[in-house]
Amino acid sequence: MLATVRRGDTLLADRAYDSNALREHLAQRGARGQIKPMAGRVIALSFNRRIYKKRNAVERFFNKLKHFRAVATRYDKRDDNFLASVQLASLRIWMRFNESVA
């Protein structure tokens, strides 16, 4: 996946990926890393909290998506059927989140 990172891209990752080697690799490719630094880092690195919150929202969405058994176990073996399962599960998550309270 790192091979697809190009100049000007931003890689969003959680603390587990906070390493100097990864940051150097991204810098060589002309990309930036929005990675929350580990608490034990000697030199504190800056990161954009607003962008990091959006990464967290995407991570929570995938966690909700995995609660659908057909998606989590990849019940449908054909790509088109699996994509339809993911789309239906995503729609149900979206509808639950945006349902009217009136």
Side-chain angles (χ1 to χ4, degrees), residues 4-101:
T4 63
V5 177
R6 297 183 309 265
R7 177 174 298 283
D9 286 350
T10 301
L11 177 73
L12 302 175
D14 64 357
R15 286 183 176 185
Y17 294 95
D18 180 30
S19 72
N20 292 334
L22 178 60
R23 291 177 188 271
E24 289 171 10
H25 177 74
L26 292 173
Q28 288 172 357
R29 296 181 76 87
R32 295 192 60 222
Q34 287 296 330
I35 305 167
K36 189 172 185 176
M38 296 291 274
R41 239 186 203 284
V42 176
I43 301 171
L45 301 171
S46 65
F47 73 102
N48 189 324
R49 289 186 187 275
R50 192 182 89 246
I51 293 174
Y52 191 77
K53 275 187 168 183
K54 289 183 180 184
R55 181 215 58 87
N56 187 264
V58 171
E59 184 176 327
R60 286 194 317 256
F61 169 75
F62 277 105
N63 186 21
K64 289 177 185 177
L65 196 58
K66 290 178 187 175
H67 287 271
F68 290 87
R69 189 170 136 200
V71 174
T73 61
R74 187 151 183 167
Y75 181 76
D76 295 309
K77 298 304 178 200
R78 288 184 42 193
D79 291 342
D80 55 347
N81 289 343
F82 179 69
L83 178 60
S85 297
V86 170
Q87 289 172 337
L88 286 172
S90 300
L91 183 62
R92 286 191 61 191
I93 292 168
W94 181 82
M95 288 172 60
R96 192 178 316 146
F97 181 74
N98 292 309
E99 71 180 333
S100 175
V101 291

